Amino acid sequence: MFPLDDFQIERYFGKHNTETKTVLAKLNDNDIAFEIDLLKKKHAREKSGMSLEKYLDRTGVRYLHSLMVDLLKSAPELRMYHRIKNSQGNYLISKCSVHRSAPDLSFEVEERAGGGLYIQPLIHTDMGIFSLENVSVYKFLVDVKEGNYYCLNTADYRTLEWLHLSQPEQYATDPVLFSQRIVQKLEETHKVNRNNLFQKQEIKALPENCIYVSEISDSLLMFTPKWRYENIIIEGDWKECHETIRNGEMYTIFRDQKAESDFLDYLKSLHPNFSKQSGKFFYLNFSDAKKKQWFLKTYHTLLEQSIMMIGLEMLKHFRYSSHTPVNSLTILAQEEEILTLQLKIHFGKEKISLSELQKLLLAGQSAILLKDSTIGVFSEEWLDQYAFIIKHGKISGDHISIPQWMMLSLEEGEAKTVLKSSVEEDWIRKWSDWQDEHKIVYPVPQKVNAMLRPYQHKGFEWLALLSEFGAGACLADDMGLGKTLQTITFLCFRQEQRQDCRHIIICPASLIYNWEAELRKFAPHLHTHVHNGNNRNIAQFFENNCHILITTYGTLRSDVEKIKSIPWDTAIVDESHNIKNVRAQLTKAALTLNAQNKIALSGTPIMNNTFDLYAQLSFLLPNLLGGQEFFKREYAHPIDQDRDQEKVKALQKLTAPFILRRTKEQVATDLPSKTESILWCEMGEQQATTYELIKSQIKDSIFLDIRTDGFAKSKLNILQGILKLRQVCGSPTLLSDFPEHSESVKICTLMEELENLKDNKALVFSQFKGMLHLVAEECRKKGISYFHFDGDTPVKERQHMVSQFQEANNTTRLFLISLKSGNAGLNLTAADYVFLMDPWWNSAVQQQAIDRTHRIGQDKKVFAYKMICKGTIEEKIIELQDKKQMLSDELVSAEDGFVKNLTEQDIMYLFD
């Protein structure tokens, strides 16, 4: 209540010791102000880049914390008071306790009742354990119960501040990110109970034997046995399971006792001294290691048995060789895309075994033990030139077989120059010209019925160049950038070169008619045949002299024997992540296709992990990535488990020439401000059967009404019949007569599209509230967070959701909106994708919905998709709109305007 000057301290605290009085004196306002002034000067001197406010918050609080700790030590019985606000809002001063014992801090991962993860900090005190949400925290002081305070240590209250600023709630629906960004960081300093809420990756594999070589006390050479399970290295005594965390994900490794024991027995046999040692590690003095070249001989023996040697380049006693590697690389033969090379490498007079060198490089080593007991080192420049070739090649003596395509992935230098000599100079020139955005390598075929945008022209040229080189290509542009058009242009290009060639397109069932419609639109001269359904007959494709066979992944799997026997000019796999599983029958079927050119289309070649890429690129470029185990060990496991950035760069370098990805931001100047497309959907058997049943019932009823009451008086029934069929197109569940979990092709298609969007925000509109609830239910199942409003949502709540959605750092990227309640008056420019679940005749209403995002303030390109069920009343309405030119606002301003303009013949067409 008074300044703590000397008079007040002597008056009230005179009985306390000098130490306590000294600390109390420092709690004087003037003393604190003086200390803060010193901190300001220190901040100015250090020029740390941290703001003064943040600096004082950190150092000033630390100073006060130290005073409190000192006070508790010197006067633990000192009476304390705090000022609190009562229920009437008045401040009262009452007695409190600041406990001398410091609490501990731990964390629990818990699951919210509505789904999603959260982290619960726990304060462990001598009064019990308290969750953070049930206590009051004032920087380092925690009031756990009715004025019982504990003083957190500096690290703990800083941890709580970090946790608050990290906003763990933004990762609530993403367990991997939640673990990586929050849990794993906390585990570095605190105990975290994960409560088995994170999926554990199980590893059951034969271990690769490893030896870590190191030196002790400049006198002993030590060999530590280790085992690599996939990409995780384990050492020490055997136990059945080993658990570890890599980048936030938990791994349980089931260790192979026999394999590990056999390896230890083998190591003990390598030197008489080893049999007397513990088995956890083995050691020799330097002289014994060099005697009769024991180390050199053992080193080569271990390499021959594929036992990895780690740490060689860290040895100091074994001197480095004065020689650098000298190489001789020549092309011996070329058979189609495979080159056979002769590579000779010498350190001085010693020739290096390519097979031994391959094992070293695969083990991540860049040094080799030479016969004179020196260590030969491969420089970064040498590795950039030759490591790719040696790692990925098939070795026999001094011969290496590699795909010719690898030339494109190499750094400029000696090796690339040699490989370039196997490629025609004209192609090299065209590949160079393609890099120049102003040069045209191939003109667009005249029969393509479209004007390609500059980036689309480049994409077509890239496909054509790789085709000429004999390499496959993965076109991975963002959704909406025209992958289909670029591919169709390439097919027209191929048709110009060979008029009798045939192509196959394999895609999800939902995209069959998108392809058919796009080909009809952009290349009407190419005749297509859809090979799908129970009555499919591949003979018709040849009888009708068609150019392009369009089929589904499921049909490919069923009819693979027929399809693989046909020599295709071009095989296209759309949404190529469907063949990411190398063990699946579908992938095996795709790999058997006999095609001169292969193209994969996908906005997301990697869905879950790096290994997803393996099957897709094996389809396009056999032999480029090596065997499965090699790819896992060399790339997939280091990238996915360890987030190894060097491996990420190496894989990008290897695959970059064959994967072309452009984002909307990269090609923004080439895009219109708004692109509208139709997203065709094909019903499954169950939904199609329901649709035909309802259509038959409505048709009989409507035409009976027309005969009885006349056409004019039947228009309300016609409108109701159309509405009912549109609901079935969305989901039969919208009709009360059908089960809750009827299949819906539109919901399945929408989910696929949303998964491809990644960081983009999207609006989903539907005229039917029930449809939005079905989409919301599916989003909850898949862990997709969303906002949702319809006519029942209060206006204030709507605006609050809109404000949150518009925030740049808000991670909820989906907004479900009722078409009637959300088609006007809203600003949702954070979104750049719009999906209209049930488009209708009133284009003005649809445009108003799209314009929630396509309006002033939008700095991104907008893509809008109308979802239409193929072969249904939705498709026929679009055709009638075009036929009658009913897209103008005058004709469609009222809901019955559409029906008023229909004839009886039109009604027959709609319900046929």
Side-chain angles (χ1 to χ4, degrees):
M1 299 300 292
F2 302 97
L4 278 172
D5 56 23
D6 292 343
F7 174 77
Q8 298 294 347
I9 289 173
E10 283 300 327
R11 178 180 178 183
Y12 291 106
F13 307 102
K15 295 180 180 180
H16 288 273
N17 59 36
T18 304
E19 185 181 356
T20 301
K21 294 177 183 178
T22 302
V23 176
L24 287 169
K26 291 181 180 179
L27 287 168
N28 185 294
D29 288 348
N30 291 333
D31 281 65
I32 292 174
F34 178 75
E35 186 65 31
I36 295 298
D37 189 54
L38 290 178
L39 291 173
K40 288 180 180 178
K41 292 176 181 177
K42 185 177 180 182
H43 173 265
R45 289 197 306 272
E46 290 181 350
K47 298 179 181 179
S48 64
M50 185 185 297
S51 69
L52 177 61
E53 182 182 6
K54 189 173 181 181
Y55 180 82
L56 290 179
D57 182 61
R58 177 166 294 186
T59 55
V61 171
R62 189 184 303 151
Y63 174 69
L64 292 175
H65 179 267
S66 66
L67 292 182
M68 177 60 75
V69 171
D70 290 345
L71 189 62
L72 291 174
K73 286 180 180 178
S74 64
E77 304 304 323
L78 193 68
R79 283 181 293 173
M80 300 277 189
Y81 295 83
H82 64 162
R83 189 173 70 155
I84 58 172
K85 188 183 288 187
N86 65 12
S87 57
Q88 286 76 42
N90 301 317
Y91 283 102
L92 302 175
I93 294 176
S94 63
K95 191 175 180 181
C96 66
S97 298
V98 181
H99 295 257
R100 186 178 183 184
S101 60
D104 292 323
L105 182 64
S106 71
F107 298 87
E108 293 263 349
V109 181
E110 299 180 10
E111 192 169 20
R112 299 269 185 206
L117 301 173
Y118 73 104
I119 194 90
Q120 181 66 268
L122 299 175
I123 312 292
H124 298 253
T125 73
D126 49 17
M127 292 181 66
I129 301 174
F130 301 87
S131 62
L132 192 70
E133 61 189 11
N134 295 323
V135 303
S136 300
V137 181
Y138 310 93
K139 293 293 184 181
F140 53 81
L141 282 176
V142 182
D143 183 359
V144 298
K145 187 179 181 181
E146 299 172 354
N148 282 277
Y149 288 88
Y150 286 85
C151 189
L152 294 170
N153 64 48
T154 304
D156 284 350
Y157 78 73
R158 286 296 174 202
T159 296
L160 292 178
E161 285 187 346
W162 170 85
L163 184 63
H164 174 72
L165 293 172
S166 298
Q167 297 180 305
E169 61 275 7
Q170 67 180 304
Y171 310 116
T173 58
D174 189 329
V176 173
L177 282 181
F178 191 89
S179 179
Q180 289 175 355
R181 306 280 173 84
I182 304 299
V183 178
Q184 193 175 8
K185 293 290 185 184
L186 292 173
E187 285 174 332
E188 292 175 4
T189 52
H190 292 81
K191 181 182 177 181
V192 181
N193 185 354
R194 291 174 169 246
N195 283 318
N196 295 316
L197 291 174
F198 298 92
Q199 182 179 355
K200 288 183 181 179
Q201 305 284 345
E202 291 190 350
I203 295 177
K204 295 179 180 179
L206 283 173
E208 296 176 70
N209 296 322
C210 314
I211 292 179
Y212 179 69
V213 187
S214 57
E215 295 173 348
I216 301 178
S217 305
D218 293 326
S219 61
L220 296 175
L221 191 63
M222 187 163 81
F223 303 85
T224 305
K226 300 190 179 193
W227 296 271
R228 187 195 296 263
Y229 287 86
E230 293 190 350
N231 198 52
I232 298 175
I233 295 180
I234 295 172
E235 63 178 286
D237 293 336
W238 180 87
K239 58 180 180 179
E240 186 174 359
C241 294
H242 174 84
E243 292 195 343
T244 186
I245 297 170
R246 293 292 181 92
N247 291 290
E249 291 196 73
M250 293 191 71
Y251 291 86
T252 299
I253 300 154
F254 294 89
R255 296 174 65 175
D256 188 320
Q257 185 177 20
K258 185 177 185 307
E260 293 188 17
S261 178
D262 288 348
F263 182 50
L264 292 176
D265 289 342
Y266 173 72
L267 291 183
K268 289 179 181 179
S269 71
L270 292 177
H271 196 280
N273 291 8
F274 290 173
S275 60
K276 307 166 190 175
Q277 296 172 9
S278 68
K280 292 182 179 179
F281 52 83
F282 304 93
Y283 55 89
L284 288 174
N285 60 48
F286 290 156
S287 59
D288 284 341
K290 291 182 178 180
K291 193 179 294 181
K292 297 182 181 179
Q293 291 191 312
W294 178 88
F295 184 34
L296 180 65
K297 292 175 182 177
T298 301
Y299 164 81
H300 286 289
T301 300
L302 294 172
L303 283 180
E304 287 171 7
Q305 297 194 35
S306 298
I307 295 170
M308 288 187 285
M309 301 282 286
I310 305 169
L312 199 66
E313 65 273 18
M314 303 298 292
L315 300 181
K316 296 178 181 178
H317 183 80
F318 293 82
R319 59 191 174 82
Y320 290 110
S321 173
S322 59
H323 300 289
T324 56
V326 177
N327 320 290
S328 169
L329 180 66
T330 55
I331 298 174
L332 297 179
Q334 179 172 358
E335 186 174 346
E336 294 183 347
E337 79 279 1
I338 300 298
L339 296 176
T340 300
L341 313 173
Q342 184 179 59
L343 176 58
K344 296 179 180 179
I345 303 170
H346 289 82
F347 273 92
K349 294 181 179 180
E350 184 176 344
K351 184 180 178 183
I352 303 302
S353 163
L354 290 184
S355 59
E356 287 188 4
L357 179 56
Q358 185 183 55
K359 291 171 183 174
L360 280 172
L361 294 176
L362 290 175
Q365 303 301 297
S366 58
I368 187 169
L369 187 64
L370 302 175
K371 291 178 181 177
D372 61 359
S373 293
T374 62
I375 297 173
V377 178
F378 296 97
S379 66
E380 287 296 324
E381 293 76 18
W382 187 94
L383 292 170
D384 286 341
Q385 281 293 301
Y386 294 97
F388 261 143
I389 294 175
I390 297 170
K391 285 182 181 181
H392 288 262
K394 291 183 180 179
I395 291 177
S396 176
D398 58 7
H399 293 182
I400 302 180
S401 297
I402 62 165
Q404 184 185 29
W405 313 312
M406 194 173 289
M407 178 272 293
L408 295 176
S409 305
L410 295 179
E411 297 283 346
E412 291 294 338
E414 296 173 352
K416 187 162 187 171
T417 300
V418 172
L419 296 186
K420 269 187 179 180
S421 65
S422 69
V423 185
E424 293 182 5
E425 289 185 8
D426 182 55
W427 189 89
I428 296 290
R429 178 188 56 77
K430 285 189 284 189
W431 183 255
S432 176
D433 287 348
W434 180 76
Q435 322 288 329
D436 187 336
E437 62 180 334
H438 301 295
K439 290 186 178 180
I440 293 178
V441 181
Y442 301 103
V444 173
Q446 291 184 355
K447 290 187 177 181
V448 174
N449 189 23
M451 181 69 71
L452 270 66
R453 302 189 183 280
Y455 76 89
Q456 292 173 331
H457 193 151
K458 281 294 179 185
F460 147 65
E461 289 182 333
W462 176 75
L463 293 173
L465 276 166
L466 289 182
S467 165
E468 193 175 322
F469 193 46
C474 177
L475 185 56
D477 286 342
D478 261 358
M479 178 182 173
L481 296 190
K483 294 190 289 287
T484 304
L485 175 56
Q486 294 171 68
T487 307
I488 290 172
T489 305
F490 172 75
L491 294 180
C492 292
F493 173 77
R494 291 297 299 167
Q495 210 68 32
E496 279 187 350
Q497 295 179 320
R498 272 187 52 203
Q499 294 184 2
D500 63 340
C501 63
R502 293 184 171 91
H503 318 284
I504 183 170
I505 297 170
I506 303 111
C507 62
S510 59
L511 296 180
I512 281 184
Y513 296 104
N514 288 63
W515 274 101
E516 189 181 37
E518 297 289 273
L519 281 160
R520 191 183 305 123
K521 177 180 177 181
F522 297 125
H525 65 289
L526 296 181
H527 304 305
T528 61
H529 175 77
V530 173
H531 181 64
N532 193 37
N534 295 331
N535 299 320
R536 62 185 181 272
N537 183 356
I538 204 164
Q540 293 176 355
F541 172 70
F542 297 97
E543 291 168 5
N544 297 331
N545 200 25
C546 293
H547 302 101
I548 300 171
L549 183 81
I550 306 173
T551 191
T552 68
Y553 284 106
T555 303
L556 170 66
R557 184 174 54 228
S558 302
D559 295 0
V560 63
E561 293 303 321
K562 296 176 184 176
I563 293 174
K564 75 177 185 180
S565 64
I566 301 170
W568 304 102
D569 179 83
T570 303
I572 298 161
V573 290
D574 193 6
E575 300 294 346
S576 63
H577 56 266
N578 282 281
I579 62 166
K580 69 180 187 293
N581 184 352
V582 291
R583 297 184 182 88
Q585 291 300 315
L586 173 57
T587 304
K588 293 175 181 177
L591 294 174
T592 65
L593 289 173
N594 176 17
Q596 184 175 340
N597 303 293
K598 293 179 180 178
I599 297 172
L601 304 178
S602 179
T604 52
I606 298 177
M607 296 286 285
N608 300 311
N609 53 59
T610 306
F611 195 66
D612 288 352
L613 202 60
Y614 182 82
Q616 296 171 72
L617 288 186
S618 294
F619 167 76
L620 299 172
L621 302 148
N623 304 314
L624 179 69
L625 300 180
Q628 292 181 38
E629 293 307 315
F630 163 77
F631 183 78
K632 284 180 181 178
R633 183 175 64 248
E634 182 68 11
Y635 298 110
H637 293 322
I639 292 171
D640 296 332
Q641 294 173 5
D642 300 328
R643 301 294 188 265
D644 188 326
Q645 290 304 306
E646 290 302 314
K647 294 294 184 183
V648 171
K649 291 176 184 176
L651 184 57
Q652 287 175 338
K653 177 180 163 185
L654 178 63
T655 60
F658 315 106
I659 300 177
L660 183 62
R661 174 164 178 75
R662 279 82 56 88
T663 64
K664 286 197 305 178
E665 290 72 26
Q666 288 172 319
V667 299
T669 55
D670 291 346
L671 288 172
S673 60
K674 178 174 65 176
T675 302
E676 296 184 38
S677 307
I678 291 176
L679 193 58
W680 292 103
C681 306
E682 185 179 20
M683 294 178 180
E685 184 176 349
Q686 181 191 20
Q687 191 175 3
T689 301
T690 302
Y691 178 86
E692 290 300 322
L693 175 64
I694 298 292
K695 185 180 75 171
S696 177
Q697 294 171 351
I698 292 172
K699 180 179 178 181
D700 293 343
S701 173
I702 285 176
F703 285 104
L704 179 61
D705 290 343
I706 292 174
R707 285 194 296 272
T708 305
D709 303 323
F711 182 67
K713 292 183 178 180
S714 302
K715 289 188 175 179
L716 180 59
N717 289 342
I718 293 169
L719 190 61
Q720 290 175 338
I722 292 173
L723 181 66
K724 201 168 187 180
L725 287 182
R726 290 178 60 231
Q727 287 177 309
V728 180
C729 290
S731 172
T733 304
L734 298 177
L735 303 180
S736 58
D737 301 337
F738 289 88
E740 291 185 8
H741 299 291
S742 299
E743 65 179 24
S744 167
V745 64
K746 287 193 178 182
I747 293 178
C748 291
T749 303
L750 177 67
M751 289 300 118
E752 290 176 5
E753 298 298 332
L754 292 178
E755 287 174 3
N756 289 339
L757 289 186
K758 292 188 176 178
D759 297 331
N760 303 84
K761 291 191 176 184
L763 311 180
V764 174
F765 287 97
S766 176
Q767 179 182 345
F768 308 114
K769 287 196 295 184
M771 191 67 184
L772 293 177
H773 285 296
L774 292 175
V775 172
E777 181 182 356
E778 197 64 26
C779 287
R780 287 193 294 273
K781 289 179 184 176
K782 294 186 176 294
I784 300 173
S785 59
Y786 60 89
F787 294 113
H788 174 196
F789 78 62
D790 51 39
D792 297 332
T793 310
V795 174
K796 283 187 177 180
E797 192 174 330
R798 297 183 195 184
Q799 195 53 54
H800 178 65
M801 285 190 278
V802 168
S803 298
Q804 285 185 292
F805 186 76
Q806 286 291 96
E807 291 176 3
N809 61 350
N810 191 289
T811 56
T812 299
R813 305 193 174 279
L814 181 63
F815 214 136
L816 311 179
I817 308 175
S818 166
L819 187 63
K820 288 189 176 180
S821 57
N823 69 333
L826 298 176
N827 184 345
L828 292 163
T829 52
D832 47 352
Y833 283 86
V834 181
F835 295 91
L836 298 162
M837 295 292 288
D838 32 65
W840 189 216
W841 61 79
N842 197 329
S843 61
V845 174
Q846 292 177 172
Q847 286 304 318
Q848 284 180 328
I850 295 169
D851 287 345
R852 296 314 90 221
T853 183
H854 184 248
R855 59 193 302 153
I856 294 172
Q858 177 60 273
D859 56 1
K860 303 179 287 294
K861 306 300 179 179
V862 174
F863 295 88
Y865 295 91
K866 300 175 184 178
M867 302 184 73
I868 302 292
C869 279
K870 185 70 179 174
T872 69
I873 198 166
E874 291 184 326
E875 182 181 11
K876 292 179 178 180
I877 287 171
I878 288 177
E879 292 174 357
L880 282 178
Q881 284 177 330
D882 292 338
K883 177 181 175 184
K884 293 176 170 288
Q885 297 182 337
M886 293 175 60
L887 295 178
S888 63
D889 291 340
E890 290 79 9
L891 286 176
V892 298
S893 58
E895 287 224 332
D896 61 353
F898 178 75
V899 180
K900 284 180 181 178
N901 285 275
L902 295 179
T903 66
E904 192 168 345
Q905 288 73 28
D906 293 333
I907 298 299
M908 292 179 68
Y909 172 68
L910 285 177
F911 291 96
D912 185 23

